[in-house]
Amino acid sequence: VLRPNLPCTLDFGRRMSEIRSGLGHPDRAGYVPAHAMTPPDPRPPAPPRALPRVRVSCREEFSAAHQLVAPGLDERQNRALYGPCADLHGHNYTIELTVEGPVEPGTGMVVNFVSLFGLLREAVLGPCDHKNLNTDVPCLHGRITTAENMVVAFWELLAPQVAAQPGCQLVRIGLSETSRTRVEYAGPSGYTSA
């Protein structure tokens, strides 16, 4: 005589699957398998992982003329201060723009280089290339056209436009008049005196 309550080999696999999945135990209702009884982790959940921040630079060249003239000095004093640069002369400038921001997971970029070069060409190269910096460039009007004053003026033009790029900020602008001279500016609060 067969006893109906004894499991047979055919339903043994089904019952074991039920037990493993927590659907019940053959002898106890509400059975919870051991792997489901682990206590909750008392630690707070980890904050989302911050995106890595990377600095990106691009460099362009432009040619322009200028004359160094301090408005409060006469011609002799200007010539003593600036030497041959008190005469109208030209340079092949190199400008370098450095921005910083998070590497966006969807693109793998901080900013598209095409956009960055476009910004530099529109704000600086367009107005300055093959121009007289003293008379033809509005952002330099009223400034002595030293490389130091030029990078400050270019910062004022470019910083808001770079900030319009999601997550980006302008970090530094470098400007070279020759292969032997270079100035750089890191914004109004970028450098501190030691």
Side-chain angles (χ1 to χ4, degrees):
V1 173
L2 291 175
R3 293 165 57 197
N5 290 342
L6 291 177
C8 72
T9 56
L10 293 177
D11 74 345
F12 182 74
R14 181 181 57 81
R15 295 298 289 158
M16 290 306 294
S17 292
E18 288 176 358
I19 290 169
R20 279 191 217 112
S21 66
L23 292 177
H25 189 275
D27 297 329
R28 289 174 280 167
Y31 170 78
V32 178
H35 71 275
M37 289 191 276
T38 55
D41 191 344
R43 297 174 293 182
R49 191 170 174 197
L51 297 176
R53 292 188 65 82
V54 174
R55 289 186 174 179
V56 176
S57 298
C58 68
R59 182 180 302 140
E60 279 284 7
E61 296 179 354
F62 65 97
S63 299
H66 75 142
Q67 180 179 15
L68 298 181
V69 179
L73 303 179
D74 63 28
E75 186 179 341
R76 184 185 57 76
Q77 292 169 317
N78 271 304
R79 191 159 304 285
L81 178 61
Y82 297 119
C85 294
D87 294 325
L88 186 63
H89 63 286
H91 296 284
N92 293 321
Y93 290 94
T94 302
I95 185 168
E96 183 175 306
L97 180 68
T98 302
V99 303
E100 180 180 316
V103 177
E104 291 297 329
T107 64
M109 298 185 291
V110 172
V111 64
N112 189 317
F113 272 113
V114 173
S115 300
L116 200 56
F117 275 110
L119 188 75
L120 190 54
R121 288 180 184 128
E122 182 181 324
V124 177
L125 273 61
C128 296
D129 193 34
H130 288 84
K131 301 287 191 318
N132 181 331
L133 300 175
N134 297 79
T135 59
D136 300 338
V137 182
C139 72
L140 297 175
H141 287 174
R143 300 181 198 236
I144 302 169
T145 55
T146 59
E148 295 89 338
N149 280 336
M150 290 170 65
V151 292
V152 172
F154 296 155
W155 180 282
E156 292 166 358
L157 284 175
L158 291 165
Q161 295 179 47
V162 169
Q165 305 289 320
C168 277
Q169 66 182 30
L170 185 55
V171 174
R172 183 181 66 236
I173 296 178
L175 184 69
S176 299
E177 288 182 333
T178 71
S179 61
R180 300 180 308 153
T181 61
R182 177 181 166 85
V183 299
E184 51 178 61
Y185 184 57
S189 58
Y191 295 116
T192 57
S193 56

